[in-house]
């Protein structure tokens, strides 16, 4: 029997899919959701788990979410803050 587990990326991808379906049928101030988008922070590229965009062309995010399993490593809050600043999340 094959042992298959859902991982963080798979879960975030499914959540993004659901959010994009909801955006299509509603009247919201945001336009889309994306997964693992590269974010330039100083001299490196960081990746946000889930970004809900106000205007992706202007790199303005409505919300930025990092998902972590309850038993995994904690998110580095300094890196989290840097990503949020680059995404213009308030």
């Amino acid at each position: 029997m094959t042992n298959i587990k859902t991982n963080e990326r798979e879960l975030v991808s499914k959540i993004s899919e659901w959010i994009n379906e909801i955006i299509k049928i509603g009247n919201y101030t945001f336009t889309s959701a994306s997964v693992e988008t590269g974010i330039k922070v100083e001299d490196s590229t960081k990746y946000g788990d889930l970004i809900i965009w106000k205007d992706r062309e202007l790199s303005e995010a409505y919300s930025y979410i990092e998902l972590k399993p309850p038993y995994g490593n904690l998110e580095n809050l300094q890196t989290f803050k840097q990503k949020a600043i680059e995404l213009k999340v308030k």
Side-chain angles (χ1 to χ4, degrees):
M1 184 170 181
T2 304
N3 186 11
I4 299 173
K5 293 176 161 181
T6 296
N7 64 30
E8 178 184 327
R9 287 189 185 110
E10 182 182 13
L11 178 61
V12 171
S13 180
K14 191 62 179 175
I15 292 170
S16 175
E17 182 182 318
W18 293 333
I19 291 171
N20 281 317
E21 288 173 8
I22 292 167
I23 289 170
K24 285 180 188 175
I25 61 173
N27 184 19
Y28 300 99
T29 59
F30 37 89
T31 58
S32 66
S34 64
V35 176
E36 294 290 329
T37 302
I39 305 161
K40 187 73 172 166
V41 176
E42 297 174 3
D43 295 333
S44 64
T45 301
K46 307 291 184 185
Y47 297 89
D49 287 351
L50 177 63
I51 301 171
I52 301 172
W53 295 99
K54 207 177 345 182
D55 189 327
R56 180 144 186 192
E57 289 180 18
L58 296 176
S59 298
E60 291 181 0
Y62 178 83
S63 182
Y64 157 61
I65 301 166
E66 289 286 345
L67 295 177
K68 300 294 176 224
Y71 51 83
N73 294 332
L74 297 176
E75 179 67 20
N76 178 323
L77 295 181
Q78 185 60 33
T79 301
F80 183 85
K81 181 179 178 181
Q82 289 173 326
K83 291 183 215 177
I85 289 168
E86 291 301 320
L87 292 167
K88 302 174 187 155
V89 174
K90 296 180 180 179

